[in-house]
Amino acid sequence: MTVTVERGGRVVEKRHHAKSPRRPRDSYALFLLPGALAFTAVIVVPFLMNTGVSFTDWQGVGSPEWSGLANYRELMDDSEFWASFRHSLFMVVAMAAVPTALGLVLAAALFDFVGKHFGSATASLLRACFYLPQVLPIAVAGIVWSWILAPDNGSLNELLKAVGLGSWQQDWLGDPDIALYSVMGVMVWVQIGFPLVIFMAGLQRVDPQLYEAAELDGAGWWRRFWHITLQQIRPEIYVVLLWCTIAALKVFGAVYVLTKGGPGGATNVPSYFSFTTFFEKTQVGYGAAISTVLTVIILALALIGLKFQTRAEDLEEGIRT
Amino acid sequence: MLTAQKRVVATAAAVMSGALLLASCGGSESSGSDGKTLKLWHYEAPDSAMGAAWNEAIKEFKRTHPGVTVKFESKGFEQIQKTAQMVLNSGDAPDLMEYNKGNATAGLLSKQGLLTDLTDEATERGWDKKLSAGVRTTSQYDANGVMGSGKWYGIPNYAEYTMVFYNKELFKKHGIAEPTTLDELTTAMDKFVAEGITPLANAGSEYPAQQYLYQLALSKADRPWVDSYELYKGKTDFHDAAWTYGAETFADWVKKGYISEKSSGLKAEDAGISFIQGKSPILFSGSWWYGRFKSDAKFDWGTFLWPDSNLTLGSGGNLWVVPKGAKNKDLAYDFIDITMSKKIQNLLGNKGGVPVAADPAAITDPQAKSLIANFNTLADRDGLAFYPDWPVPGFYDVLVSGTQKLITDSEKPDAYLSALQEAYDKDVPTK
């Protein structure tokens, strides 16, 4: 805010920094600019172009023909598309729900039990082990898992045979009734390290006095976990759930390496479906429609998640003050 | 009027967008048409028959074109397959490129005007005389991008076909006679099953399964049937005798144990490895495995054409195409000419490839001799029937998905054929 004052017959400008909330924001805007421009160039513009292409009939070369909402109408009736979205929901369970739940329990166990009884070095080592699949390229992990799950001499089937459970042997990736669950299992393994690391970091900032007080009051491990751990690291849980749900909706690499959407489309997911439509069938317009719908869904979920998280945080702050 | 701060913001914005614009335009600068550079892309592995032959061709080209630089870039098959359209649309197109043959690939590019018409060169330089009818089919495309007639848009220097690879030692060990007819083949497979061995190596999540099925259908088909299916010269009925026999026999073979019901999730590599490791006595697949088996299989093996069938899967190999935007087309034609020369063709043959214009007397390797002799038998009887996934874009995935269902018995042959019919009819070009 700028005011003009008269001093000794001279007009001078005086700036009231303290009272002006606009000034700092303007300065921040400058720092945000490169990011905003890059975001526009690599995200917004391609997304708008993709949306534009989704209204056309196009093979990727030559001129696209305007087809209006035809691709979207076709999508509505495409059972393969809806099946791929159903599989996505399974992936949300495997990549968000289960890893978050397991991650919570494991993080609490490592922090509370292993850390205390075996030292923080052991807990860190175990945490690193759980995190390892996150570091491994998905192509490598996928190929190794396809060996493990191979029907004839895969290690899982061999192991089952060795421990006398030969009747449990399965064609893990080749049986349409099982393949999706097998891929889900692999994804839990891939994903578990991420929530674990975030939750363990979250646990570091929980006041240990809370646990001590609860322990003195006779609260067992489960009650401490439920009433302290879970409540204190709620912001981390929101972040992890949101992040993992988005990752689950756009999962591609694992499906590509493990099953290529098979057998008989049993593990097809929207991103893989879009990929094959784009590049195998060269139906670029239709593929663009699939990816536009996928982006809109992910965006909506992200916004809802963020809104939910902000509201919960505001509520928490309201309780504290 | 702009404040100082706004000026800074505006300047930064201008600099950033300028930089982005420059970055987006940066790639389009080309090497120019100087007649001194041949920009060449192909995706054959250096140790494969084709890779060795093309490397030799590059040497030969350098020798005969002093002062010309060959800018060779080794690409991946997928890389070219998935980005060719964009590259050919830009100013970065090479002068000569290896590209996959068929309607959905080279046909599509030719239809979009991205490839150079090679008809005049093919006749002037005599390439058309060197290629047999079956091989030539994938070189020519009509205005709709359909192969088999029209202008020349690509030149293949080799061919490929499918055959039965069999492990002679396993046959001997189990006292099973080497088959020459389909009846003998099924008898042999019955004996292997009785011995607890799954006779056929298979892979459901990639091409091998659909190729078994197509071969079974081909054994009841003729050339007009193939032309109808692949070249749209008639209506294809997936419930006709040939397709029905193919699907039913395939499903039956799974039930009989000739094909493992646990092969639906396996990849082509798994099937090949299973043969190399001596676990599966028989693999029906293409000549692209030949060199690999030659170096990796540590047992005596042989090959024969699918018994009691005039037709088998196969075609000319991948094509040399000259992009429309190529800068040095004459050099590209010269290079193609060299790869068609006897010297390079003979080398290709001796390395385990199937040359299209070799001198039979110059092929000295005995296994290579039999590979080429079988091909000649096929070429003489016009026996190349292409591949089942060619007719419509995306049909490969439809076939993979469908045959997986046949293997796992989650779909019956009749429903499988109906699904093929629906997918085919939806995308088949109407002339």
Side-chain angles (χ1 to χ4, degrees):
Chain A
M1 191 182 162
T2 306
V3 290
T4 311
V5 290
E6 260 188 69
R7 192 181 288 168
R10 276 190 317 151
V11 178
V12 291
E13 271 190 358
K14 191 177 176 188
R15 289 177 183 195
H16 285 247
H17 291 275
K19 285 187 184 171
S20 166
R22 224 174 47 137
R23 301 295 321 160
R25 275 197 198 163
D26 282 356
S27 330
Y28 294 150
L30 192 62
F31 289 103
L32 292 176
L33 194 70
L37 277 173
F39 178 76
T40 309
V42 297
I43 307 278
V44 179
V45 173
F47 176 65
L48 292 177
M49 287 170 75
N50 184 71
T51 312
V53 169
S54 73
F55 294 114
T56 65
D57 185 9
W58 193 32
Q59 285 193 299
V61 281
S63 354
E65 276 176 40
W66 181 260
S67 63
L69 288 170
N71 287 327
Y72 291 94
R73 271 197 293 273
E74 198 180 332
L75 261 188
M76 291 300 125
D77 295 332
D78 191 338
S79 59
E80 235 179 301
F81 172 72
W82 291 111
S84 73
F85 258 104
R86 271 198 304 282
H87 301 150
S88 258
L89 297 180
F90 281 86
M91 286 300 167
V92 171
V93 173
M95 292 177 69
V98 175
T100 306
L102 276 180
L104 266 173
V105 176
L106 283 170
L110 284 181
F111 188 79
D112 215 24
F113 180 75
V114 178
K116 275 184 194 152
H117 291 85
F118 299 94
S120 59
T122 315
S124 299
L125 180 74
L126 287 173
R127 183 182 58 188
C129 290
F130 280 113
Y131 195 72
L132 198 64
Q134 287 274 308
V135 183
L136 216 58
I138 192 68
V140 175
I143 288 171
V144 171
W145 271 102
S146 65
W147 291 341
I148 295 172
L149 299 173
D152 285 329
N153 43 17
S155 1
L156 180 58
N157 277 347
E158 290 294 315
L159 182 75
L160 287 171
K161 199 162 83 181
V163 297
L165 295 171
S167 59
W168 289 19
Q169 287 185 348
Q170 299 290 345
D171 183 4
W172 301 102
L173 294 171
D175 185 334
D177 297 330
I178 299 172
L180 186 58
Y181 299 107
S182 304
V183 176
M184 285 169 72
V186 174
M187 291 325 291
V188 170
W189 174 84
V190 168
Q191 202 72 355
I192 191 85
F194 174 67
L196 180 74
V197 166
I198 301 282
F199 294 153
M200 283 190 79
L203 286 170
Q204 306 276 353
R205 65 170 176 76
V206 180
D207 189 350
Q209 287 181 353
L210 284 174
Y211 287 108
E212 283 166 23
E215 226 171 335
L216 284 175
D217 288 344
W221 186 87
W222 180 249
R223 291 192 69 160
R224 292 203 303 275
F225 173 73
W226 190 257
H227 291 288
I228 302 173
T229 308
L230 219 53
Q231 307 306 324
Q232 292 291 317
I233 61 166
R234 217 188 285 167
E236 281 84 357
I237 299 177
Y238 286 134
V239 169
V240 161
L241 270 177
L242 185 65
W243 188 278
C244 293
T245 304
I246 292 171
L249 288 174
K250 60 192 183 90
V251 65
F252 173 84
V255 171
Y256 181 78
V257 182
L258 282 169
T259 59
K260 290 195 190 283
T267 57
N268 206 359
V269 286
S271 57
Y272 185 73
F273 185 48
S274 164
F275 169 80
T276 50
T277 312
F278 257 103
F279 296 112
E280 309 290 345
K281 298 185 188 175
T282 60
Q283 294 174 351
V284 175
Y286 194 54
I290 300 168
S291 50
T292 304
V293 170
L294 187 62
T295 312
V296 169
I297 289 176
I298 290 175
L299 211 62
L301 269 175
L303 288 175
I304 293 168
L306 282 173
K307 187 98 189 152
F308 191 56
Q309 187 188 343
T310 320
R311 218 179 57 184
E313 275 172 8
D314 286 350
L315 211 69
E316 230 160 75
E317 264 173 37
I319 292 167
R320 280 196 201 121
T321 49
Chain B
M1 207 176 132
L2 291 173
T3 64
Q5 197 170 13
K6 279 183 182 164
R7 263 199 302 273
V8 171
V9 173
T11 315
V15 169
M16 276 301 289
S17 32
L20 285 169
L21 263 176
L22 277 176
S24 61
C25 301
S28 60
E29 199 170 316
S30 63
S31 54
S33 170
D34 54 3
K36 295 282 175 203
T37 318
L38 174 70
K39 198 170 159 190
L40 165 72
W41 292 1
H42 76 66
Y43 46 75
E44 301 294 347
D47 53 353
S48 70
M50 274 65 78
W54 305 162
N55 279 342
E56 192 58 37
I58 290 174
K59 278 186 203 153
E60 184 72 14
F61 181 87
K62 283 179 178 166
R63 200 178 58 76
T64 51
H65 293 73
V68 177
T69 315
V70 180
K71 278 175 127 181
F72 163 62
E73 287 180 40
S74 175
K75 300 283 177 181
F77 174 79
E78 289 272 320
Q79 197 182 0
I80 287 195
Q81 187 73 4
K82 304 270 193 274
T83 60
Q85 299 176 351
M86 280 179 278
V87 169
L88 297 186
N89 251 340
S90 76
D92 277 343
D95 300 309
L96 184 61
M97 182 174 98
E98 184 181 7
Y99 197 59
N100 201 4
K101 67 273 172 189
N103 298 341
T105 46
L108 179 65
L109 294 196
S110 69
K111 183 179 147 191
Q112 301 292 351
L114 293 171
L115 301 180
T116 305
D117 174 8
L118 302 172
T119 312
D120 290 346
E121 293 298 321
T123 39
E124 269 170 37
R125 297 182 187 242
W127 300 333
D128 55 343
K129 305 277 185 309
K130 291 181 174 175
L131 302 174
S132 65
V135 172
R136 201 187 303 149
T137 304
T138 52
S139 296
Q140 294 173 277
Y141 297 88
D142 67 13
N144 292 312
V146 177
M147 63 182 184
S149 64
K151 295 172 179 168
W152 287 67
Y153 284 103
I155 309 293
N157 303 105
Y158 66 99
E160 52 187 47
Y161 67 98
T162 51
M163 66 201 90
V164 179
F165 294 90
Y166 69 109
N167 182 332
K168 290 186 174 182
E169 289 179 16
L170 271 181
F171 272 76
K172 200 188 264 177
K173 185 180 161 197
H174 294 277
I176 298 167
E178 292 172 19
T180 51
T181 63
L182 188 65
D183 283 343
E184 285 175 14
L185 180 66
T186 45
T187 311
M189 292 196 291
D190 279 328
K191 285 183 181 158
F192 275 118
V193 171
E195 298 270 319
I197 294 168
T198 305
L200 297 176
N202 181 45
S205 80
E206 285 180 0
Y207 64 82
Q210 54 180 274
Q211 297 197 348
Y212 275 108
L213 197 148
Y214 187 55
Q215 177 60 69
L216 286 166
L218 285 177
S219 65
K220 302 285 177 198
D222 54 13
R223 179 55 58 183
W225 184 94
V226 174
D227 287 350
S228 169
Y229 175 57
E230 302 271 2
L231 310 176
Y232 325 122
K233 291 180 179 169
K235 176 101 179 74
T236 288
D237 174 12
F238 283 85
H239 289 94
D240 66 8
W243 276 112
T244 307
Y245 170 79
E248 285 180 351
T249 309
F250 183 85
D252 189 42
W253 282 14
V254 175
K255 281 198 191 80
K256 284 183 173 158
Y258 299 170
I259 290 171
S260 168
E261 57 182 15
K262 286 187 177 173
S263 59
S264 63
L266 299 182
K267 299 187 169 64
E269 176 71 7
D270 298 323
I273 293 282
S274 170
F275 181 76
I276 290 171
Q277 290 179 340
K279 287 179 182 155
S280 301
I282 303 168
L283 169 68
F284 170 72
S285 199
S287 45
W288 49 90
W289 285 105
Y290 211 88
R292 174 94 176 273
F293 292 165
K294 224 171 155 209
S295 61
D296 291 359
K298 306 288 178 226
F299 49 82
D300 189 16
W301 56 274
T303 66
F304 54 87
L305 292 172
W306 191 265
D308 299 336
S309 177
N310 276 329
L311 297 164
T312 197
L313 298 86
S315 70
N318 291 318
L319 302 170
W320 287 117
V321 296
V322 180
K324 194 80 176 175
K327 306 287 187 307
N328 292 298
K329 293 185 181 178
D330 285 331
L331 294 179
Y333 305 147
D334 288 353
F335 186 85
I336 296 176
D337 214 34
I338 290 173
T339 64
M340 291 295 262
S341 68
K342 284 270 184 272
K343 181 182 172 189
I344 301 297
Q345 288 286 310
N346 293 344
L347 173 71
L348 178 71
N350 276 319
K351 290 275 180 187
V354 184
V356 286
D359 179 1
I363 308 294
T364 47
D365 180 272
Q367 272 181 320
K369 262 184 186 305
S370 98
L371 179 75
I372 295 163
N374 276 338
F375 176 72
N376 290 338
T377 308
L378 266 180
D380 288 347
R381 69 180 188 216
D382 191 16
L384 293 178
F386 319 118
Y387 298 91
D389 60 308
W390 278 12
V392 287
F395 211 47
Y396 178 85
D397 286 336
V398 175
L399 286 162
V400 163
S401 172
T403 38
Q404 281 181 318
K405 289 178 186 169
L406 280 187
I407 296 169
T408 57
D409 198 26
S410 46
E411 194 165 79
K412 297 294 166 206
D414 190 52
Y416 163 80
L417 293 170
S418 298
L420 293 193
Q421 185 83 58
E422 194 189 332
Y424 181 88
D425 287 349
K426 197 170 129 214
D427 289 322
V428 73
T430 43
K431 284 209 247 182

